[in-house]
Amino acid sequence: MSSLRRSDEQRERSPCLGVRAGDMRVLGGDRRVALDVLMMGWGLGTWLGVNGVFVQLPLLVQRLPEGWALPSFMVVCIQLANVGVLAYAALRRLFPRAPDAPYVYGMLGVGTAALFLNAFLHERTAWVAGAERSVAFLAVTFFTGLVGCTSSVLFYPYLRHFRDVYLATYLVGEGLSGLLPGLLSLAQGSGGEPRCVYAPDNASVTAVPPEPRFDSTVFLAVVGCLSALSLASFALLNSLPTFAAERVRPADAAKQDEATGEPLLRARWVGVMAMMAALNACMNGLLPSIQSYSCMPYGAQTYHLAVTLGAMANPLACLAGVWLRPVRGRALAALLGAALLPLGYVLATALLSPAPPLQHSAGGRALVVLAWVALYAALSYARMWVYGWARRGGAAGMRVCGAVNQAGSALGSLTLFLIVNFTDVFVQAPQCALPPL
């Protein structure tokens, strides 16, 4: 009997998503489906703006002056948005008893406004330090990034006010912030390869990208509407009294703030947080910065598919965490070990740009897309596993996890920005070549 009780306790402490194994069997059962829907709607707004502009990159790198280096500028602007995390931490110290809900409203409002502004301002450029720069696009992207960066330390702790089972559907909603812009981008189309227009004397050439089914203004405006939907979802789940039974009692929520299941300085905690930093340095710094160099040599459509399907892999990984039995630590380590293969391949294609292997074959195009999708799926699942494991540390553990998330992302983004823009490690090919004289 004692061994049976120990087995039950181990299942109760499943690290994946931080919920009990019995709660993960089905989305129905002992839960409110309407609240599940609102949780997904709220989670949709977390990284919606960031994912929205990233899936537009196959179009934007052909239109904005930074070219293939544009993603490296974007990830730095997004990481600079971590100033929002510092501002929130300062406000928490000044007003420790203030509720989190007003901060959530403010962040979602800023993200919605930023998306609508970007829809109409993204092509405005200005000369900075002797070079034409996408000042408006990058500035508004900074405000878009405020939501995603701050959500790591603001939105997750707010979830402690609801029963554990709703963390899973919130994470599915967060994954939808990549899926829905991805589907919209597939409907939009990449526009295909640029057309080369030569001057009458062949002294100059201009690359003219073809038009997609609808332009970036329409795309970003639709994503802005989705962000407004996220704001409305949070307003409903936060204010409707019908969900009072699904909330954790204030006394229990306070206990989560004051006590943790495990001391945060234990070796296991430090190790898992180090893995979280590495995952986010890779996902939010390294990979976005090099994807244009890895994929554009295979064509704009290949880049479009790699970006879009990679963004869609994230919610599928979250759904796997909802429907499947959580994996053990050794299985996760095996998964990450297997992910080194596609990671090595995409690094090789980026480093060998503008002439990567199998450049002019259909197999080469398919292989690079599959590598990017598999890599994002594996890393997304691993990051979700860490978030679920961190929940056992209560609100303090979730805040530490969020802070480590942003620290790893910032380090990876800054490192790649310097490498991409101040070395010759990654090389952009000209879209059109002048004919020989």
Side-chain angles (χ1 to χ4, degrees):
M1 288 294 291
S2 59
S3 62
L4 180 61
R5 282 196 299 270
R6 284 195 300 271
S7 176
D8 290 340
E9 288 172 0
Q10 289 171 354
R11 285 194 295 269
E12 290 286 308
R13 295 172 182 172
S14 167
C16 186
L17 299 178
V19 299
R20 296 185 300 273
D23 292 328
M24 296 177 61
R25 287 176 295 185
V26 291
L27 283 177
D30 187 20
R31 59 197 304 152
R32 295 289 298 276
V33 175
L35 184 54
D36 279 316
V37 172
L38 292 177
M39 282 287 179
M40 285 189 282
W42 173 36
L44 171 66
T46 51
W47 291 97
L48 180 68
V50 172
N51 288 325
V53 292
F54 266 111
V55 297
Q56 283 295 280
L57 282 175
L59 299 176
L60 297 177
V61 297
Q62 300 183 67
R63 289 166 169 79
L64 297 184
E66 290 79 6
W68 292 10
L70 179 64
S72 68
F73 282 87
M74 280 180 55
V75 294
V76 169
C77 288
I78 291 167
Q79 294 312 315
L80 288 175
N82 280 306
V83 67
V85 177
L86 300 177
Y88 170 66
L91 289 171
R92 289 286 302 179
R93 290 189 66 87
L94 289 173
F95 309 102
R97 296 185 180 276
D100 287 332
Y103 297 117
V104 178
Y105 283 123
M107 283 294 99
L108 290 174
V110 167
T112 302
L115 280 165
F116 281 113
L117 286 173
N118 225 358
F120 300 100
L121 300 178
H122 66 276
E123 291 187 334
R124 303 285 182 90
T125 62
W127 287 86
V128 178
E132 189 180 13
R133 296 297 182 195
S134 308
V135 175
F137 172 74
L138 294 173
V140 180
T141 296
F142 164 82
F143 288 99
T144 302
L146 280 174
V147 183
C149 294
T150 310
S151 69
S152 299
V153 295
L154 172 59
F155 291 10
Y156 282 110
Y158 179 87
L159 286 166
R160 73 191 187 281
H161 297 296
F162 289 90
R163 294 171 52 224
D164 286 356
V165 292
Y166 295 106
L167 174 60
T169 44
Y170 170 85
L171 286 172
V172 171
E174 186 175 286
L176 289 175
S177 70
L179 175 64
L180 295 186
L183 292 174
L184 184 62
S185 179
L186 286 176
Q188 180 188 30
S190 68
E193 305 306 318
R195 178 170 55 92
C196 298
V197 179
Y198 294 90
D201 58 357
N202 285 336
S204 63
V205 61
T206 302
V208 180
E211 293 300 321
R213 296 185 184 93
F214 51 89
D215 62 17
S216 296
T217 296
V218 174
F219 179 94
L220 292 171
V222 173
V223 177
C225 292
L226 293 175
S227 183
L229 176 64
S230 173
L231 176 59
S233 296
F234 177 75
L236 291 173
L237 70 88
N238 182 65
S239 59
L240 286 180
T242 186
F243 299 128
E246 303 303 306
R247 288 180 171 268
V248 176
R249 292 181 303 173
D252 293 337
K255 289 178 181 178
Q256 291 184 32
D257 285 346
E258 296 169 0
T260 61
E262 294 185 7
L264 300 186
L265 293 180
R266 286 186 60 179
R268 192 177 182 191
W269 259 98
V270 173
V272 173
M273 291 302 103
M275 181 173 70
M276 184 58 143
L279 288 170
N280 283 280
C282 188
M283 287 191 67
N284 300 329
L286 169 65
L287 297 182
S289 298
I290 68 169
Q291 193 166 24
S292 54
Y293 296 93
S294 171
C295 298
M296 276 299 283
Y298 296 94
Q301 291 182 334
T302 300
Y303 185 21
H304 174 70
L305 285 174
V307 169
T308 303
L309 297 179
M312 294 167 64
N314 180 276
L316 296 178
C318 290
L319 283 172
V322 173
W323 293 103
L324 303 179
R325 184 182 297 274
V327 301
R328 296 184 179 274
R330 290 182 180 178
L332 181 67
L335 175 67
L336 291 176
L340 292 176
L341 184 61
L343 176 60
Y345 187 75
V346 301
L347 280 172
T349 56
L351 290 169
L352 294 173
S353 174
L358 304 174
Q359 181 179 8
H360 302 294
S361 69
R365 293 191 290 272
L367 185 59
V368 76
V369 171
L370 288 173
W372 277 99
V373 173
L375 184 57
Y376 269 119
L379 297 183
S380 297
Y381 183 85
R383 192 172 63 166
M384 178 199 63
W385 188 97
V386 176
Y387 271 127
W389 192 89
R391 176 135 184 171
R392 65 179 64 184
M398 296 298 280
R399 289 195 178 101
V400 168
C401 189
V404 168
N405 176 337
Q406 297 309 319
S409 299
L411 179 60
S413 300
L414 179 59
T415 301
L416 265 295
F417 175 80
L418 296 175
I419 293 174
V420 168
N421 293 282
F422 297 100
T423 73
D424 296 325
V425 173
F426 300 102
V427 179
Q428 175 176 344
Q431 290 182 305
C432 295
L434 286 172
L437 295 177

